[in-house]
Amino acid sequence: MSRFRCLKKSQNNLLAGVAAGMGEFVGWSPTRARAGWVIFGILSFGFAVVIYTILAFLFPPPNHFDLNEFRR
């Protein structure tokens, strides 16, 4: 059976934890993920700020209920 991982905010946050949470999900350091967001923000002429804000509202907090932990 495959293990489901939930994409969520990180406790290692500077603003909302979105970049660090995405970095943890893919196995990157939070600094590398934040640098990626900065580069994305520059290349998208600020559109990344809109996407980051939307994701900050959509991502669950780090202590969100995890179904895999419940099944153990």
Side-chain angles (χ1 to χ4, degrees):
M1 184 184 301
S2 67
R3 176 132 172 107
F4 174 75
R5 295 188 315 163
C6 182
L7 183 59
K8 55 189 171 185
K9 294 180 186 177
S10 174
Q11 292 180 350
N12 183 9
N13 61 350
L14 287 179
L15 292 176
V18 174
M22 291 178 77
E24 290 172 1
F25 185 78
V26 296
W28 292 358
S29 70
T31 305
R32 186 176 178 188
R34 290 178 187 124
W37 271 99
V38 168
I39 293 170
F40 176 50
I42 292 169
L43 294 177
S44 68
F45 301 105
F47 186 64
V49 175
V50 175
I51 294 173
Y52 188 94
T53 304
I54 292 169
L55 292 177
F57 286 107
L58 293 178
F59 282 10
N63 57 358
H64 185 69
F65 174 74
D66 187 7
L67 185 59
N68 290 320
E69 296 297 324
F70 179 73
R71 290 181 180 167
R72 288 183 188 177

